[in-house]
Amino acid sequence: MDNNFLVIMAGGIGSRFWPMSTSETPKQFLDILGTGKTMIQQTVARIEDIIPKRNIFVVTSRYYKDIVQEQLPFLEDSQILLEPCMRNTAPCIAYASYKIQNRCPDANIIVAPSDHLITDESGFRKTVEKALDFTKYQNVLLTLGIDPHRPETGYGYIKSTNPKISTNEIDKVSEFKEKPDIHTAKRYLESGGYLWNSGIFVWSASSVIEAIEKSLPEVAKLFTRGKEVYDTPSEQEYIDRIYPQCQNISIDYGILEHADNIYVLSSKFGWSDLGTWGSLWEKRQRDNQGNSVVGSGVHLFECNNTIVTVPDERSVVLQGLNDFIVVEANGVIMVCKKEEEQRIKEFREKVLTPNQD
């Protein structure tokens, strides 16, 4: 257990959950589900029985250091890795992996986003324990694939070499697939062997660093040179200097799609990436008309399949809405059709930069 580490990726700005999520307080630091815990706090809580708190690292923007410390007060400064700029997930994971290996050469690492929903936390822990056992002594890169139960177009897919892969089975990955259209998603579901890409990874520090050196050698050189400064007062200055030089690339594109030792663990633990208001509506409790409401002063009349999130002190009357998103937060009221939620980024830009027509 002392060799098990958790890396939480928490640098995103959560623009698809605007206006509740802002660049100052993105969704990973919000209690999106109304549970009393923020998304990042839930990420830690579901895995702290497996990972010692001293082995938990959060990679985030330098602008979010204070909020991370406030929400996860057990973290030492050295456990909060501050990115001076956004460079996607490959440099983020590389930074954490090199630093962890410097501390513990035999480290076994879980990499997880900070803003995903997992409803079966016991099942998740069992899955992660099986994954850690698999990667502990093998030179492999393991990703958790989710058993699909619908033709989802909002997720990437992982194709297993075994079209009849069962839940909790580990198999070699054939290829990664981008988010499909509905017809392709239906074909994936019917043919079998396709899993949703959860974006949760498990591997040893040595395995992932070997993959980084092979596929992203320039990134590897930058972080290798930092070995003498990790966990010293000079670390942040070094990272601030070299991080902007890193290629802006995801771990999927930069490493996983090129490696030949990628495996997938077929999983089922109530996972959602909560990437949109629509996905949140699916996961929140709903009334008999399919409405999901957060806000004690909300009154609905002839509304169906609508998600409402407003402050408790606000009295709101809504009539005749079908499949809508209604949100009030940070001085903005947004009413949007669920089927048009991909335009929320457009709405956000228009509000934040009103003179740029």
Side-chain angles (χ1 to χ4, degrees):
M1 184 171 176
D2 286 346
N3 289 350
N4 292 339
F5 287 76
L6 170 65
V7 174
I8 301 174
M9 299 180 289
I13 61 173
S15 58
R16 287 181 292 180
F17 269 92
W18 182 84
M20 191 174 182
S21 175
T22 66
S23 58
E24 291 78 21
T25 310
K27 73 168 181 171
Q28 61 266 31
F29 304 120
L30 300 174
D31 181 8
I32 292 281
L33 292 162
T35 63
K37 288 183 179 177
T38 66
M39 300 302 294
I40 195 170
Q41 288 172 331
Q42 290 185 48
T43 302
V44 170
R46 73 174 62 106
I47 211 164
E48 59 187 357
D49 292 342
I50 301 173
I51 307 294
K53 285 186 176 179
R54 65 181 178 277
N55 289 357
I56 295 175
F57 290 79
V58 175
V59 188
T60 190
S61 165
R62 60 182 179 177
Y63 300 111
Y64 303 146
K65 180 182 180 182
D66 290 345
I67 195 168
V68 170
Q69 289 178 318
E70 177 186 341
Q71 295 193 5
L72 303 175
F74 66 86
L75 292 178
E76 302 288 340
D77 283 352
S78 62
Q79 293 171 264
I80 305 174
L81 281 56
L82 302 177
E83 298 175 294
C85 57
M86 296 180 70
R87 282 297 180 267
N88 216 314
T89 54
C92 160
I93 291 169
Y95 177 18
S97 300
Y98 276 88
K99 176 165 177 166
I100 289 171
Q101 190 190 48
N102 212 47
R103 287 190 178 192
C104 178
D106 298 326
N108 210 12
I109 303 173
I110 305 164
V111 179
S114 57
D115 54 1
H116 287 186
L117 171 67
I118 290 171
T119 57
D120 180 6
E121 297 195 344
S122 175
F124 174 73
R125 283 190 288 272
K126 290 176 182 177
T127 300
V128 166
E129 287 173 337
K130 178 170 183 172
L132 288 167
D133 286 341
F134 183 73
T135 61
K136 188 173 183 180
Y137 300 112
Q138 300 187 72
N139 180 21
V140 296
L141 305 177
L142 182 68
T143 180
L144 302 188
I146 307 299
D147 292 346
H149 55 272
R150 64 176 184 273
E152 174 61 55
T153 61
Y155 300 149
Y157 284 71
I158 301 166
K159 184 182 180 184
S160 166
T161 56
N162 179 9
K164 296 183 179 180
I165 187 170
S166 301
T167 304
N168 296 322
E169 185 178 348
I170 295 173
D171 193 56
K172 202 157 199 255
V173 170
S174 172
E175 57 185 316
F176 288 83
K177 297 289 189 179
E178 293 301 303
K179 296 175 183 178
D181 59 32
I182 187 62
H183 300 293
T184 305
K186 287 179 179 177
R187 179 167 56 82
Y188 288 170
L189 202 63
E190 292 166 359
S191 62
Y194 287 88
L195 304 166
W196 292 338
N197 187 354
S198 72
I200 302 172
F201 311 105
V202 184
W203 43 51
S204 67
S206 58
S207 293
V208 71
I209 286 174
E210 180 181 315
I212 293 167
E213 290 173 346
K214 182 177 180 181
S215 298
L216 296 172
E218 295 305 315
V219 171
K221 287 178 185 177
L222 293 171
F223 289 108
T224 299
R225 291 174 190 153
K227 286 185 176 181
E228 294 183 359
V229 302
Y230 295 136
D231 291 313
T232 75
S234 302
E235 177 179 338
Q236 192 61 55
E237 183 277 330
Y238 180 78
I239 293 300
D240 288 347
R241 180 159 47 86
I242 65 101
Y243 214 81
Q245 301 174 40
C246 291
Q247 186 177 354
N248 188 345
I249 192 168
S250 72
I251 193 75
D252 296 66
Y253 281 126
I255 294 174
L256 299 183
E257 292 189 3
H258 308 291
D260 58 6
N261 60 338
I262 309 297
Y263 285 77
V264 62
L265 171 51
S266 179
S267 311
K268 186 178 290 185
F269 41 71
W271 171 88
S272 171
D273 73 348
L274 287 188
T276 63
W277 284 106
S279 64
L280 178 60
W281 170 81
E282 291 179 350
K283 295 298 181 180
R284 281 200 328 205
Q285 186 174 355
R286 302 190 293 274
D287 64 19
N288 292 335
Q289 287 71 47
N291 300 307
S292 173
V293 175
V294 170
S296 58
V298 176
H299 304 273
L300 302 182
F301 299 89
E302 296 94 47
C303 292
N304 297 280
N305 302 319
T306 289
I307 182 168
V308 183
T309 302
V310 299
D312 280 339
E313 65 272 13
R314 175 70 76 182
S315 294
V316 177
V317 177
L318 301 172
Q319 186 272 330
L321 295 183
N322 295 313
D323 294 295
F324 268 80
I325 301 163
V326 180
V327 184
E328 179 183 356
N330 298 303
V332 175
I333 298 172
M334 183 188 72
V335 181
C336 170
K337 294 180 181 178
K338 275 197 296 188
E339 65 183 20
E340 297 281 352
E341 69 177 340
Q342 72 276 5
R343 298 182 62 193
I344 288 177
K345 286 186 178 182
E346 171 193 339
F347 303 154
R348 175 179 176 270
E349 291 302 314
K350 181 70 73 172
V351 170
L352 296 180
T353 54
N355 296 323
Q356 295 185 9
D357 294 322

